Amino acid sequence: MPVGPEFSAATQKIVDAVLFDTFGTVVDWKSGVADAVEAIAFRYGFEVDAAEFALRWRARYAPATESVRTGVREFVTLDELHRENLIATADEMGLPIDRIEPADLAWLNQAWHRLDGWPDSVAGLTELKRDFIIGPLSNGHVALLTNMAKHAGLPWDVIIGSDVTRAYKPDPNVYLGAARLLDLPPHRVMLCAAHNSDLAAAQRAGLRTAFIARPQEYGPSQRTDLHATGAWDLIARDIRDLATQLRDHRTA
């Protein structure tokens, strides 16, 4: 006898898809970017605080994406925004970027494609993948996120980049567009993030939410997102703990 939908395992799960903010939540951008800056500095004999450079480069990220969200400029991919911000950061820190060969400059800019996952990321995602559709919901574009997945071994089912939705978070079109692409209502999609503001925007769009603290994302000076500040559906220690909670958390 066929099993009715009210009794199926799929309808008992709290969601069908778990999507992830990626930079900081799944991968350690600060270490990867700082390592690339240090490698270029060594190659060219520059003196630079690589960790500080990475932090300042990242600090230009939100204003750059905001210029696209507000219509100040047309949509461009994160690679282009990162390159502009790289040049501005080098100028700010007195790094003679004009002395860097174009191929090396491109390699440095693509440091964001070559980031390693946090220790729990691959194992946790692999566990989640058994029962849920998983993928990044990131301001990165498809090429960047694909390269990152190959580098870090991230076992995504689907990659939803900003060039697919043509929008940057926290634009609601990012969250709603992801649900439409998966042919799911928003409440059947969960966003997992280490950033409370990202979760607040996803929640307003109707998605379920899960918070994972990454207190070392910005290094020892981090003062924000050390704990959950909203009424999120789940709060987990890491991605493996999230997988455990989702396995045990069933709808009535």
Side-chain angles (χ1 to χ4, degrees):
M1 175 183 294
V3 177
E6 66 273 21
F7 299 113
S8 71
T11 59
Q12 293 175 15
K13 295 185 295 187
I14 183 174
V15 292
D16 298 302
V18 184
L19 304 181
F20 286 82
D21 168 70
T22 307
F23 297 111
T25 301
V26 178
V27 297
D28 175 8
W29 60 264
K30 179 175 176 288
S31 297
V33 171
D35 286 349
V37 171
E38 189 170 15
I40 288 292
F42 179 80
R43 180 180 179 90
Y44 285 87
F46 297 154
E47 292 286 338
V48 64
D49 183 334
E52 180 63 21
F53 192 102
L55 289 172
R56 295 193 189 189
W57 192 359
R58 174 68 173 182
R60 295 177 180 274
Y61 167 88
T65 56
E66 179 70 12
S67 68
V68 176
R69 282 196 302 270
T70 57
V72 172
R73 64 184 299 180
E74 294 293 320
F75 178 86
V76 294
T77 68
L78 207 52
D79 273 353
E80 185 166 341
L81 296 179
H82 275 155
R83 186 181 178 90
E84 293 171 1
N85 294 340
L86 167 59
I87 293 169
T89 305
D91 183 62
E92 177 187 9
M93 296 191 67
L95 193 71
I97 205 164
D98 57 316
R99 287 175 46 196
I100 301 176
E101 294 292 332
D104 288 336
L105 188 63
W107 179 87
L108 176 57
N109 193 51
Q110 290 200 335
W112 301 90
H113 294 225
R114 303 184 303 272
L115 303 176
D116 293 333
W118 296 108
D120 59 279
S121 291
V122 172
L125 292 174
T126 300
E127 190 171 343
L128 275 170
K129 185 181 174 78
R130 297 190 188 107
D131 297 306
F132 303 92
I133 298 165
I134 62 168
L137 182 56
S138 170
N139 281 341
H141 47 293
V142 171
L144 183 158
L145 295 168
T146 302
N147 291 337
M148 182 193 296
K150 293 295 287 185
H151 172 85
L154 307 176
W156 302 129
D157 292 309
V158 63
I159 291 178
I160 302 174
S162 57
D163 49 339
V164 176
T165 60
R166 305 295 289 180
Y168 283 117
K169 295 186 294 182
D171 186 322
N173 290 316
V174 175
Y175 311 101
L176 296 174
R180 284 195 299 270
L181 286 166
L182 295 174
D183 198 21
L184 292 170
H187 71 277
R188 299 301 301 172
V189 179
M190 172 174 279
L191 177 70
C192 176
H195 312 116
N196 287 282
S197 60
D198 197 0
L199 294 178
Q203 189 178 70
R204 288 193 296 271
L207 273 65
R208 300 270 195 166
T209 52
F211 178 81
I212 292 176
R214 296 298 191 188
Q216 295 302 312
E217 178 184 357
Y218 288 86
S221 63
Q222 183 165 327
R223 297 292 180 269
T224 60
D225 291 318
L226 297 176
H227 54 81
T229 59
W232 315 134
D233 293 286
L234 295 174
I235 299 172
R237 293 187 305 273
D238 55 28
I239 299 177
R240 297 190 73 171
D241 182 43
L242 177 64
T244 298
Q245 291 194 43
L246 280 170
R247 185 182 63 240
D248 297 339
H249 195 122
R250 301 283 177 168
T251 58

